[in-house]
Amino acid sequence: MQTFSHMDSGGNVVMVDVGGKAATQRTAIVEAFVDISETTLDLLRRAALPKGDVLTTAKIAGIMGAKRTAELIPMCHPLALTCLDVRFTVISSPPSIRIEAEARTTGPTGVEMEALIAAQIAAATIYDMCKAVQKDIVIRGVRLLRKSGGKSGEYRAPALPA
């Protein structure tokens, strides 16, 4: 019979006890994409969108979101993040914004969830900041690119087909 890490023998939901695990340096990098129109991309590049500086606002929102991950995901441990960064690449064709969120800590559990939340909150903020000029924005491709630290060690996502 399969056992689940977030359930006890009675079937009750529990938070995993990581108290006995060794503290190691943990890193996670996540990517996401926001597909926008050429018109919206042009407005973004010219800093002419009506709600203001989209990427700066999205960066701050992503960092704030990552810091609140344990409040958003029920069984997620609160972590002392040692680094959180959100980076953007503006892509001309097809018009889109690539988001890369990186989270780091030293502790007994990983930071994948913090990086995932950072990327997704940044993407949602880009959507919010651009929706006045475009309604059909698409958020896609959210995935873990790399993680390191802990018992499972290093993970690198396979390259996507071209």
Side-chain angles (χ1 to χ4, degrees), residues 95-161:
S96 58
I97 301 161
R98 179 180 180 269
I99 301 164
E100 186 176 89
E102 180 175 358
R104 284 187 248 146
T105 193
T106 299
T109 190
V111 288
E112 295 95 310
M113 299 314 299
E114 287 72 14
L116 281 162
I117 293 297
Q120 291 176 93
I121 294 294
T125 301
I126 291 169
Y127 186 102
D128 180 57
M129 300 282 292
C130 296
K131 71 183 181 191
V133 298
Q134 182 183 353
K135 302 293 186 233
D136 62 343
I137 297 165
V138 174
I139 297 170
R140 65 173 173 85
V142 180
R143 69 180 186 137
L144 177 66
L145 291 177
R146 294 193 313 265
K147 74 157 272 314
S148 63
K151 185 171 72 174
S152 64
E154 188 81 20
Y155 168 81
R156 288 190 179 273
L160 294 176

Side-chain angles (χ1 to χ4, degrees), residues 30-67:
V30 167
E31 75 176 350
F33 293 86
V34 181
D35 296 338
I36 56 178
S37 69
E38 288 181 17
T39 301
T40 302
L41 182 64
D42 177 61
L43 290 167
L44 184 138
R45 282 188 166 138
R46 293 188 293 115
L49 283 157
K51 289 192 174 185
D53 186 341
V54 172
L55 299 184
T56 298
T57 304
K59 180 175 184 137
I60 293 167
I63 291 168
M64 289 175 66
K67 290 166 44 175

Side-chain angles (χ1 to χ4, degrees), residues 10-22:
N12 300 303
V13 176
V14 296
M15 182 183 232
V16 173
D17 183 355
V18 296
K21 293 173 73 178

